[in-house]
């Protein structure tokens, strides 16, 4: 049962400021209609779930766009798909909540802001921390405001009164509470281990933020005393602390456990030969050098064998003093010079120039990742919690296996399950300023306060305080703050956005305190998570893990993943190719409805969307068709003037059709109409938006316009059939507008406003009409 807010102005067609309609414009002018309609919708309260107070809750939490720039066409895809879902649910009488938000997007935003600073001739490394944070915040909030206007322009019918930002204080508090809970549970821990380091951005990255690609480099066969080993990185030899062979390799049994003398470019040295199963006997000569500080596999070997760790490359990607005369050189230059020096000394046996191997790069800037040994905070994903007994990865995998969270596209369920089975602990520390700072303090002392982390002891006096002699973790700072120093790292942005579904609903400002239960109690778990398939691991998996951990329930029941947006030649859109489509530009040119329909048409879940200006222009023709056909019907029913658009005096007081006096054309359109209602309803229930949109397009253009409206012209001139024909026209047209509304909300509302002038029994707005049932 829909509830209509009292004392609301009726929407009018043509000039929307007029209280009484005099004529219907000959053409549909989206520029004159769309912005004004959206403002009226928003002011009316139609987008709030309270519009259907007795309806079944239906929730979508908007994937918060990064508040660091304008929306791109990929954002237009999620806006269109989610708005279709939420408008459909609202029309079904559900208490539909689409909660909007924006993401501070830590590393992403700082990268964008750094480019801005570079253009201004500045560097973030020369700006004090507090000032850099404030400048980034100002930049983000300005972009956030622009972005919100763009979401409105695309027709997003979300509840703006409930909007959240990932840096809102109440959101940050929830993020802190989750981290403290994980820490208490033994699942958040600090360790010194190899991390993926970007020398340009000066921060560590998670495994997911490293983009691997094949590269061809020289493979050097280096003489190490009596042995010869192969490496692509001769410059790291100054950090070698052992040579390793496979324990089953018969060629090297006599060397295992001994020390061999080797000649280097810095002189002679002795190095230990160890046996480890990590070594592949088929690689090179079956001998590898162990450089624990600059290779994660070597680090694990060093831990097993108690080897020394020597750092010979610093945080900026330059050689340290341990490299002797090569100190200060960048990695590639050092590699070249070290190889030349070794060749001069006869220490290189041979070089394979075209060795193909995989190289990790920063996904943002393309800089080759340099492994570094650093103290970082991690989330243990495969360990059982000390207190909760929960295992993040295992529980998230089980939830999908049991169908608690269902992927609309089965292939993504397989990918998810494979990844969750092979997931490793998650590095959540980022060495940047912009973000949510870790709620961790280290006691001030002469030694490095971060160098030693003991097993935490829970402080029984507070649920959210854990303290020992060296470290304090808590939602609030320690009372004797003068004795403590806060960690300068911030959380990986996916740690905070991974809590978005429950955090956004739990946050104080989103709660309707006059109602019980509150937002979280009523709207969680949410119904659908709709986002791009490319962040299934970055975001979707982490939301499931953290949602289950914190609430005991999956954060969403269904997962709809859309594909990338490509041009008409199926090429990925990029600025360098010059094929990028500005969604706001084409919305202004052709109408938001045309853009929305073009994005949905011909695109199924998980597949890439193909878009072009020609396709959008074609969908503008569909908007015009809806307007023109509706204009014809309204004028003919009221005995108006088709040339001037002047309506006649006739109104339809009821839509009760005389079933005994139906013509063959009437019966056919009613049959087709009944079938389209059933089919579109079934397809929308199954998330088949493209198929539903295509069927509606074909039905409206062909069955209704080309066939029935043409047949109705003669029937309207016949006194025996005209009254029934009018009712059939209005019923079929009005219900078609409701069916089309989730896809093309603006033109359907514009027509609906005109239609209400001749049929007052229609609901005040198509936004809150009742979905047709048969």
């Amino acid at each position: 049962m829909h509830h209509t807010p009292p004392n609301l102005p009726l929407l009018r067609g043509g000039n929307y400021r007029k209280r009484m309609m005099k004529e219907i414009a000959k053409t549909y002018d989206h520029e004159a209609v769309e912005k004004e309609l959206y403002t009226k919708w928003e002011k009316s309260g139609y987008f709030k779930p309270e519009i259907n107070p007795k309806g079944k809750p239906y929730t979508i939490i908007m994937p918060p766009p990064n508040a660091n720039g304008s929306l791109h066409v990929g954002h237009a895809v999620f806006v269109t798909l989610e708005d279709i879902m939420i408008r459909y649910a609202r029309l079904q009488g559900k208490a539909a909540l689409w909660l909007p938000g924006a993401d501070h997007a830590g590393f992403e935003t700082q990268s964008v802001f750094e480019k801005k600073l570079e253009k201004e001739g500045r560097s973030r490394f020369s700006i004090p921390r507090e000032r850099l944070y404030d400048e980034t915040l100002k930049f983000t909030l300005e972009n956030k405001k622009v972005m919100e206007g763009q979401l409105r322009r695309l027709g997003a019918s979300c509840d703006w009164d409930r909007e959240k930002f990932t840096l809102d204080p109440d959101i940050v508090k929830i993020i802190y509470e989750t981290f403290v809970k994980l820490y208490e549970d033994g699942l958040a821990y600090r360790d010194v281990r190899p991390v993926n380091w970007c020398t340009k951005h000066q921060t560590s990255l998670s495994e997911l933020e490293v983009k691997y690609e094949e590269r061809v480099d020289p493979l050097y066969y280096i003489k190490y005393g009596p042995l010869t080993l192969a490496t692509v990185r001769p410059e790291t030899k100054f950090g070698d602390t052992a040579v390793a062979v496979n324990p089953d390799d018969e060629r090297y049994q006599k060397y295992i456990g001994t020390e061999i003398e080797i000649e280097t470019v810095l002189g002679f040295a002795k190095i230990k030969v160890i046996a480890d199963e990590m070594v592949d006997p088929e690689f090179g000569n079956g001998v590898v050098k162990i450089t624990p500080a600059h290779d994660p596999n070597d680090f694990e070997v060093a831990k097993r064998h108690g080897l020394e760790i020597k750092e010979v490359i610093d945080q900026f990607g330059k050689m340290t003093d341990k490299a002797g005369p090569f100190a200060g050189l960048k990695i590639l230059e050092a590699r070249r010079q070290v190889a030349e020096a070794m060749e001069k000394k006869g220490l290189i046996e041979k070089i394979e120039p075209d060795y193909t191997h995989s190289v990790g790069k920063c996904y943002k800037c393309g800089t080759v990742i340099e492994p570094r040994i650093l103290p970082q905070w991690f989330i243990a994903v495969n360990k059982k919690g000390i207190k909760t007994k929960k295992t993040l990865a295992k529980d998230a995998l089980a939830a999908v296996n049991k169908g608690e969270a269902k992927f609309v596209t089965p292939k993504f369920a397989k990918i998810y399950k494979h990844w969750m089975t092979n997931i490793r602990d998650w590095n959540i520390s980022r060495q940047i300023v912009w973000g949510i700072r870790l709620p961790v303090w280290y006691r001030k002392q002469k030694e490095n306060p971060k160098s030693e982390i003991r097993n935490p002891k829970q402080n029984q006096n507070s649920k959210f305080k854990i303290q020992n002699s060296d470290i304090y973790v808590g939602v609030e700072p320690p009372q004797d703050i003068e004795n403590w120093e806060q960690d300068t790292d911030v959380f990986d942005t996916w740690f905070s956005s991974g809590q978005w579904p429950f955090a956004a609903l739990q946050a104080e400002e989103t709660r309707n305190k006059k109602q019980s239960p509150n937002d979280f109690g009523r709207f969680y778990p949410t119904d659908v998570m709709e986002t791009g398939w490319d962040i299934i691991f970055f975001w979707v998996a982490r939301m499931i893990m953290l949602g289950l951990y914190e609430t005991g329930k999956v954060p969403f029941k269904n997962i709809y993943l859309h594909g990338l947006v490509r041009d008409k030649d199926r090429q990925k859109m990029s600025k360098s190719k010059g094929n990028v489509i500005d969604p706001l530009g084409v919305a202004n040119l052709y109408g938001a409805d045309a853009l929305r329909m073009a994005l949905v048409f011909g695109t199924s879940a998980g597949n890439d969307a193909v878009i072009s200006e020609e396709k959008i222009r074609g969908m503008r023709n569909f908007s015009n068709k809806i307007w023109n056909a509706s204009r014809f019907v309204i004028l003919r029913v009221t005995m108006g003037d088709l040339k001037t658009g002047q309506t006649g005096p006739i109104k339809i007081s009821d839509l009760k059709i005389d079933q005994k006096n139906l013509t063959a054309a009437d019966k056919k359109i009613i049959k087709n109409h009944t079938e389209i209602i059933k089919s579109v309803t079934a397809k929308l229930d199954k998330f088949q938006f493209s198929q539903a949109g295509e069927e509606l397009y074909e039905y409206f253009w062909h069955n209704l316009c080309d066939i029935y409206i043409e047949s109705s012209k003669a029937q309207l001139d016949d006194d025996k059939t005209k009254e029934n024909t009018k009712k059939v026209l209005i019923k079929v047209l009005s219900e078609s507008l409701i069916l089309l509304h989730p896809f093309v909300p603006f033109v359907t509302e514009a027509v609906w406003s005109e239609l209400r002038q001749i049929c007052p029994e229609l609901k005040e707005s198509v936004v809150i009409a009742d979905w047709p049932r048969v």
Side-chain angles (χ1 to χ4, degrees), residues 355-571:
Y355 173 67
T356 302
H357 64 128
S358 180
V359 176
K361 292 187 173 182
C362 171
Y363 81 106
K364 200 67 187 168
C365 67
T367 300
V368 174
I369 291 297
E370 184 59 43
R372 293 190 69 212
I373 310 299
L374 292 174
Q376 302 276 278
W377 283 92
F378 296 87
I379 300 298
V381 294
N382 296 308
K383 177 184 174 184
K384 184 180 287 189
I386 298 169
K387 302 174 79 174
T388 65
K389 308 302 179 187
K390 294 180 178 181
T391 306
L392 294 174
K394 181 181 177 183
D395 295 346
L397 185 59
V400 170
N401 285 333
K402 289 187 288 186
E404 294 171 4
K406 297 178 182 177
F407 284 87
V408 171
T409 309
K411 68 177 180 180
F412 292 122
K414 292 180 182 178
I415 295 170
Y416 170 88
K417 291 174 184 178
H418 174 76
W419 187 73
M420 293 303 291
T421 304
N422 297 281
I423 190 173
R424 292 190 285 183
D425 285 2
W426 171 16
N427 175 9
I428 59 168
S429 296
R430 294 294 177 273
Q431 290 70 47
I432 59 176
V433 169
W434 181 241
I436 301 173
R437 197 167 174 182
L438 295 176
V440 177
W441 287 260
Y442 306 99
R443 186 177 294 280
K444 292 179 180 178
Q445 52 191 37
K446 292 181 180 180
E447 297 80 22
N448 181 359
K450 303 182 184 182
S451 62
E452 182 182 1
I453 304 297
R454 298 192 181 94
N455 292 330
K457 294 180 180 178
Q458 183 184 357
N459 184 335
Q460 300 296 332
N461 296 325
S462 172
K463 180 180 178 182
F464 294 120
K465 291 183 181 178
I466 307 169
Q467 185 175 356
N468 63 29
S469 61
D470 295 321
I471 187 172
Y472 174 100
V473 176
V475 174
E476 300 296 334
Q479 291 183 352
D480 55 336
I481 189 66
E482 67 279 2
N483 298 320
W484 298 86
E485 178 183 3
Q486 188 173 0
D487 199 313
T488 56
D489 290 352
V490 301
F491 283 121
D492 173 10
T493 192
W494 298 106
F495 181 74
S496 52
S497 60
Q499 301 176 56
W500 187 239
F502 67 83
L505 290 168
Q506 284 180 344
E508 286 294 331
E509 280 82 350
T510 68
R511 295 182 179 181
N512 184 341
K513 295 176 182 177
K514 296 179 182 177
Q515 154 187 323
S516 182
N518 57 43
D519 277 357
F520 178 76
R522 189 175 186 206
F523 295 108
Y524 189 91
T526 66
D527 287 82
V528 186
M529 172 47 61
E530 191 286 326
T531 189
W533 66 262
D534 53 331
I535 56 173
I536 182 173
F537 306 133
F538 280 100
W539 195 37
V540 175
R542 285 161 174 174
M543 282 190 288
I544 296 175
M545 285 194 293
L546 293 172
L548 280 168
Y549 180 78
E550 187 61 29
T551 72
K553 297 178 181 179
V554 291
F556 29 76
K557 301 163 192 170
N558 298 286
I559 304 154
Y560 183 104
L561 301 176
H562 66 252
L564 302 174
V565 182
R566 299 185 181 275
D567 68 11
K568 61 183 179 180
D569 299 318
R570 304 199 71 83
Q571 296 294 308

Side-chain angles (χ1 to χ4, degrees), residues 681-733:
T681 301
K683 285 180 171 57
L684 290 179
D685 287 341
K686 295 176 182 176
F687 303 98
Q688 295 172 350
F689 307 116
S690 174
Q691 295 95 316
E694 290 166 27
E695 285 188 10
L696 280 169
Y697 179 98
E698 176 66 21
Y699 163 77
F700 190 90
W701 198 299
H702 179 64
N703 298 84
L704 181 55
C705 296
D706 292 350
I707 298 177
Y708 185 69
I709 289 180
E710 285 300 314
S711 300
S712 74
K713 293 176 181 178
Q715 293 182 190
L716 288 168
D717 291 333
D718 187 334
D719 289 340
K720 294 180 181 178
T721 57
K722 66 179 181 181
E723 292 306 317
N724 224 28
T725 301
K726 289 177 183 178
K727 292 181 180 182
V728 172
L729 278 169
I730 297 300
K731 177 179 173 59
V732 171
L733 176 60

Side-chain angles (χ1 to χ4, degrees), residues 173-344:
K173 185 184 178 203
I174 291 168
I175 304 308
Y176 280 175
E177 289 175 352
T178 301
F179 177 71
V180 174
K181 180 179 176 180
L182 286 161
Y183 185 70
E184 281 187 316
D185 215 11
L187 300 181
Y189 66 94
R190 203 161 196 275
D191 197 7
V192 178
R193 59 167 65 179
V195 297
N196 302 302
W197 184 261
C198 175
T199 55
K200 174 178 170 56
H201 289 111
Q202 291 292 291
T203 185
S204 61
L205 302 174
S206 70
E207 278 295 317
L208 288 176
E209 292 165 319
V210 178
K211 183 170 63 177
Y212 289 93
E213 61 181 49
E214 285 197 342
R215 200 168 82 174
V216 176
D217 282 310
L219 182 64
Y220 301 91
Y221 284 77
I222 301 173
K223 296 176 183 178
Y224 263 48
L227 305 176
T228 299
L229 57 84
T231 181
V232 293
R233 303 200 65 182
E235 77 281 4
T236 62
K237 71 184 308 301
F238 307 109
D240 294 350
T241 54
V243 172
V245 298
N246 189 286
D248 298 326
D249 195 329
E250 296 295 334
R251 294 172 293 178
Y252 306 114
Q253 292 298 312
K254 68 177 181 179
Y255 296 108
I256 295 174
T258 68
E259 280 191 341
I260 58 174
E261 187 174 52
I262 63 172
E263 184 180 3
T264 73
V265 292
L266 300 181
F268 289 89
K270 287 188 176 182
I271 196 165
K272 187 177 181 180
V273 180
I274 61 173
D276 196 280
E277 292 183 353
M278 178 272 292
V279 181
D280 178 6
E282 301 300 319
F283 174 72
N285 289 344
V287 185
V288 297
K289 64 192 194 69
I290 302 299
T291 320
H294 301 288
D295 185 284
N297 292 324
D298 291 2
F299 178 81
E300 295 301 323
V301 172
K303 281 173 61 176
R304 288 195 288 271
H305 296 270
L307 302 177
E308 181 186 1
I309 297 174
K310 296 193 293 185
E311 185 179 66
V312 296
I313 298 173
D314 67 16
Q315 70 186 87
F316 303 106
K318 294 183 178 181
M319 305 304 292
T320 67
D321 292 343
K322 290 186 175 67
F326 306 100
L329 293 178
K330 290 187 176 180
I331 294 170
L332 291 179
E333 179 59 22
R335 184 174 304 167
R336 185 184 67 81
Q337 290 194 24
V338 169
E340 286 180 358
M342 294 182 74
E343 276 194 288
K344 287 179 182 178

